[in-house]
Amino acid sequence: MRSMPAAETATKTAAPKTSLLPGALRRWLTGYGLEVVALIAGALVWEGFGWMLGLQWLPPFSRVLEAFVQFIQSGAILSNLQSSLTGLLLGFALSVVLGLSLGALMGRYRAVERAFDIYVHALFVCPSILFAPIFFAIFGLSDASRIAIIVVYSTFVIVINTATAIRTVDPSLVEMACSFGCRERQIFTRILLPASLPLVFAGLRLGMGRAVKGMINGEMLIAFVGLGALAQRYGAQFDAAKVFAIAMVVLIIGLVSNAIVQALENRLTRWAG
Amino acid sequence: MIRVKALSKEFGTVDNGNAAVLALSDIDFEVRDNEFVTVIGPSGCGKTTLLRIIAGLIPYQQGEVSIDSRPVTGPGPERAVVFQNFALMPWADVLGNVTFGLEVRGVAKGESEGRARELIKVVGLEGFERRLPKELSGGMQQRVGLARALAVNPQILLMDEPFGALDEQTRRLLQEQLLQLWERERKTVVFITHSMEEAVMLGDRVMLMTPRPGKVKEMIDVPLNRPRSRDVEKSPAFIEIKEYLWENLRAMQAAQP
């Protein structure tokens, strides 16, 4: 006990020594500053290597930015962006419906779990793109093919998370509900669903990320439309700047869609924080 | 009246492949209307199992359990349970938790909220209606659990070591408040506990159970006047019963491997 105050003063005197920066800059860096610095540094390194090496597949960052701005100004990617986003939305919505309902049933009923678990895990670990030729054979060059690929990409991670979420709900809450005479439907809507939301949303965020991957992969392989198809076309023309520019668009889609799910999650699961 | 007759409960063999465990064996007792019965016994004697059977939460194989001569086949509106770990819904505020039992029984929102606010007041949580469980202390959380059980106006209150997870000071405070509450409401109560003081302080009778398989060793009358206050702890009768319980429980513990 006697050594405690000494340790305290030691850290107190040591603290100012570690910061060589003025207060305002330090506050900025602990906010978003460090991230901004990292991004700018990355862009500069990219720019430098781009000019120095002069490789065709690595255009300087400014060229990529130029292509990106041009895309937006000319509206050249708008129709492709729209068809990509439509596919993403439909595919993800379908995945959510499938994933939540199958996951909930598997989490609640041991028999359903035993029947489906092997399939769900097999499809989850299997590279989803393997199914592209099959969907192509079934649906041809239609939107259905792209959407089907998005669905196989994103559904199973949602199933697995939802099942785990439902299965790990505090059993005493279910018992409490039973003690008040809840029927199975009430146990679902009033206990299992709200209690499992935090983990379910973790699954939805992962599913969203995989849906974006599925969108691009599907379009690159079997579609004439969408950002993936566009990237494929520019790739074939060895126009690396435009391919990178599309990658930036996809990156933004990924970040924004994730932020939307996250925002919804924050609204609905504030109690868990 | 709660009547338990020749009740035995075995826990299944399906999951672990081991021999079935006999949790309760040949249990016989009755709890009269408006009576407060406390149940005490060594750990693993099946007290909680017994309570959950009376609550209709788990099935039983042999014997009879009935309430006012109707056999127990599941939970019923005349019974409400207070849980050891409170079992509050972490996403719902105090009001939402207390109205739960009323809402699932289809009571209109306005009416259930009025009733809930009343009981929140009774348990001394007025002003905390909009707080989440995680913002409350353990003692306050169990008050919510008690208010939730009382809100459905049960005839029988089944309490499963309700104060077992609380610190000593909170526990004593809640015991005293439960006594006052019981004086007013006069519910039939079955109260599981580990604490000898608690068993004698609260009960009209104390049911002493033996270790696994749980049996009723003895039903002990507590001849202490009501309304009771903390002072009864100093009375010879209180001390005598407490000592008697301890002798028995110590002997049971010592007999175990």
Side-chain angles (χ1 to χ4, degrees):
Chain A
M1 281 308 280
R2 214 174 295 156
S3 67
M4 283 261 294
E8 215 169 285
T9 42
T11 48
K12 261 181 200 157
T13 48
K17 262 189 207 167
T18 54
S19 77
L20 303 161
L21 304 166
L25 182 58
R26 208 171 69 227
R27 270 196 298 281
W28 182 72
L29 280 175
T30 49
Y32 279 111
L34 210 53
E35 283 84 345
V36 173
V37 170
L39 282 175
I40 293 172
L44 287 177
V45 170
W46 183 349
E47 183 75 15
F49 274 109
W51 286 113
M52 263 170 14
L53 301 174
L55 295 168
Q56 185 171 25
W57 57 265
L58 189 68
F61 182 64
S62 54
R63 289 277 175 76
V64 175
L65 219 53
E66 212 174 284
F68 180 74
V69 172
Q70 213 181 325
F71 272 152
I72 292 171
Q73 279 176 344
S74 68
I77 60 161
L78 266 184
S79 69
N80 287 300
L81 181 64
Q82 195 190 2
S83 89
S84 281
L85 286 181
T86 314
L88 180 66
L89 205 68
L90 283 171
F92 184 64
L94 214 58
S95 294
V96 170
V97 172
L98 275 172
L100 291 186
S101 33
L102 182 57
L105 290 173
M106 284 175 65
R108 180 70 177 153
Y109 304 111
R110 186 86 185 93
V112 181
E113 188 189 11
R114 286 175 57 193
F116 284 93
D117 195 52
I118 182 78
Y119 293 111
V120 168
H121 274 91
L123 290 168
F124 174 65
V125 296
C126 179
S128 311
I129 200 66
L130 268 180
F131 295 95
I134 298 165
F135 291 136
F136 183 63
I138 302 172
F139 300 116
L141 264 181
S142 66
D143 288 347
S145 291
R146 293 189 298 141
I147 292 169
I149 289 176
I150 294 173
V151 170
V152 286
Y153 262 83
S154 95
T155 301
F156 301 104
V157 71
I158 300 178
V159 174
I160 290 169
N161 268 272
T162 307
T164 310
I166 296 273
R167 202 181 318 115
T168 53
V169 169
D170 181 358
S172 71
L173 283 180
V174 176
E175 189 159 71
M176 182 277 292
C178 285
S179 81
F180 284 105
C182 279
R183 314 213 167 280
E184 184 67 11
R185 188 182 54 81
Q186 286 174 312
I187 289 174
F188 246 114
T189 56
R190 289 180 166 272
I191 302 292
L192 296 176
L193 283 184
S196 60
L197 271 189
L199 248 183
V200 165
F201 264 105
L204 290 183
R205 260 185 291 132
L206 291 172
M208 193 65 183
R210 291 176 63 98
V212 173
K213 276 182 208 158
M215 169 185 87
I216 295 301
N217 285 349
E219 288 169 351
M220 289 185 80
L221 264 174
I222 52 171
F224 285 137
V225 290
L227 296 171
L230 208 58
Q232 184 82 317
R233 205 172 315 143
Y234 292 132
Q237 295 165 9
F238 301 108
D239 194 341
K242 283 182 175 151
V243 175
F244 275 118
I246 289 172
M248 277 176 69
V249 176
V250 175
L251 219 78
I252 292 168
I253 293 175
L255 290 174
V256 169
S257 57
N258 191 61
I260 291 171
V261 178
Q262 180 84 61
L264 197 65
E265 174 177 0
N266 290 347
R267 262 187 81 90
L268 291 174
T269 65
R270 207 168 290 154
W271 55 271
Chain B
M1 188 168 80
I2 305 170
R3 169 175 276 159
V4 177
K5 213 172 165 188
L7 171 71
S8 293
K9 168 75 187 172
E10 235 173 48
F11 278 111
T13 51
V14 188
D15 291 332
N16 49 23
N18 295 330
V21 176
L22 190 61
L24 298 172
S25 163
D26 205 21
I27 303 265
D28 265 301
F29 71 98
E30 287 175 6
V31 182
R32 294 184 287 268
D33 287 342
N34 310 325
E35 190 183 23
F36 200 127
V37 169
T38 52
V39 181
I40 195 167
S43 301
C45 73
K47 313 184 280 282
T48 294
T49 303
L50 177 62
L51 191 96
R52 290 167 76 210
I53 288 174
I54 299 172
L57 291 170
I58 51 174
Y60 52 95
Q61 288 91 8
Q62 288 163 44
E64 284 169 39
V65 179
S66 66
I67 286 159
D68 296 333
S69 26
R70 284 189 310 275
V72 168
T73 54
E78 75 286 348
R79 281 160 288 158
V81 186
V82 179
F83 294 89
Q84 178 175 17
N85 65 355
F86 321 136
L88 300 181
M89 302 177 289
W91 58 89
D93 59 19
V94 169
L95 191 65
N97 271 289
V98 176
T99 52
F100 181 82
L102 295 163
E103 275 178 18
V104 298
R105 284 175 197 177
V107 177
K109 200 177 171 67
E111 194 187 333
S112 68
E113 276 198 19
R115 172 93 180 126
R117 284 182 192 281
E118 212 175 285
L119 279 150
I120 289 169
K121 207 165 156 183
V122 167
V123 298
L125 284 180
E126 208 178 4
F128 291 91
E129 287 86 351
R130 291 294 170 202
R131 298 292 185 87
L132 291 174
K134 68 172 177 187
E135 298 169 316
L136 306 177
S137 68
M140 291 162 92
Q141 290 191 38
Q142 193 55 298
R143 286 162 204 256
V144 177
L146 186 60
R148 176 178 61 193
L150 290 172
V152 294
N153 197 20
Q155 180 193 326
I156 296 168
L157 211 49
L158 302 169
M159 307 182 79
D160 182 15
E161 290 191 47
F163 307 148
L166 305 176
D167 64 80
E168 180 69 13
Q169 294 157 32
T170 311
R171 165 192 271 257
R172 285 169 75 95
L173 209 65
L174 279 178
Q175 286 165 0
E176 289 169 19
Q177 285 168 350
L178 180 64
L179 276 176
Q180 289 168 16
L181 199 73
W182 185 81
E183 287 299 335
R184 246 190 314 181
E185 305 253 344
R186 291 274 170 172
K187 305 277 182 205
T188 307
V189 182
V190 178
F191 188 109
I192 310 287
T193 180
H194 259 114
S195 151
M196 288 160 281
E197 287 86 357
E198 191 167 78
V200 185
M201 175 94 192
L202 299 177
D204 293 317
R205 286 190 294 161
V206 179
M207 183 167 126
L208 177 63
M209 289 180 71
T210 65
R212 185 162 288 176
K215 289 180 184 165
V216 181
K217 174 119 198 306
E218 201 175 341
M219 270 285 195
I220 301 155
D221 280 310
V222 181
L224 295 170
N225 291 332
R226 293 198 186 262
R228 289 180 196 165
S229 68
R230 200 42 81 183
D231 292 338
V232 298
E233 283 185 336
K234 295 176 197 133
S235 75
F238 181 96
I239 296 166
E240 191 191 326
I241 298 172
K242 206 184 84 180
E243 292 296 320
Y244 181 75
L245 287 174
W246 174 230
E247 274 168 33
N248 275 280
L249 288 166
R250 187 170 53 188
M252 289 178 202
Q253 300 274 15
Q256 277 184 325

